[in-house]
Amino acid sequence: MKPINLPHVVAEVEEAFADYEYALLVNDIPTLDRWFWYDPQTVRYGVAEVLLGGETIRQYRKTCAPVPASRKLHRTVVTTFGTDYATVSTEFTDHTSDRIGRQMQTWVRMDEGWRIVAAHVSLMA
């Protein structure tokens, strides 16, 4: 079995996730695009969209509304398996709704660094 939560790997993924989250808050589209694996097999299921492939995700980013600056994360869990695979799960809230959002990402270390290969965003009823 692969070692789980090696401290240096957890730190790498936490740093990548923090950069992704900051880019999301300031609507830095090039940085958001960089974090997703640019491949037809990449999947992002959003609150109201199904995005299949890196190009589809990039096109979506150009037209979607930015997340509210009031977005706050809660109960973020980073779990790593070995040195090249991780999941990040978090809940989020913002001033626009009383609903709790949920976000899950699968991260894989590629030759060019950590990339999101699958993501899911949803809101609780």
Side-chain angles (χ1 to χ4, degrees):
M1 177 157 179
K2 301 263 185 196
I4 295 173
N5 287 347
L6 293 168
H8 71 283
V9 180
V10 171
E12 289 176 14
V13 175
E14 286 175 339
E15 184 178 333
F17 179 71
D19 189 66
Y20 172 87
E21 183 66 20
Y22 178 76
L24 193 62
L25 288 174
V26 299
N27 202 34
D28 179 350
I29 294 171
T31 298
L32 292 170
D33 287 345
R34 185 186 80 233
W35 284 118
F36 272 88
W37 183 35
Y38 189 72
D39 189 271
Q41 297 181 84
T42 304
V43 176
R44 182 186 178 278
Y45 293 143
V47 173
E49 63 281 340
V50 174
L51 306 171
L52 304 174
E55 182 58 31
T56 304
I57 295 167
R58 284 184 181 185
Q59 292 306 315
Y60 166 77
R61 284 276 177 227
K62 291 178 183 177
T63 61
C64 72
V67 302
S70 62
R71 175 178 157 111
K72 301 284 185 235
L73 301 183
H74 312 277
R75 302 194 313 181
T76 302
V77 176
V78 174
T79 307
T80 66
F81 303 87
T83 58
D84 301 323
Y85 182 86
T87 60
V88 179
S89 306
T90 194
E91 296 174 4
F92 61 89
T93 56
D94 64 55
H95 78 281
T96 66
S97 173
D98 292 334
R99 296 171 76 187
I100 296 173
R102 299 172 292 187
Q103 177 178 309
M104 295 189 74
Q105 298 171 332
T106 302
W107 291 74
V108 175
R109 185 192 309 271
M110 304 288 186
D111 289 341
E112 60 274 13
W114 287 100
R115 295 296 181 265
I116 301 164
V117 299
H120 191 129
V121 180
S122 62
L123 293 173
M124 294 182 69

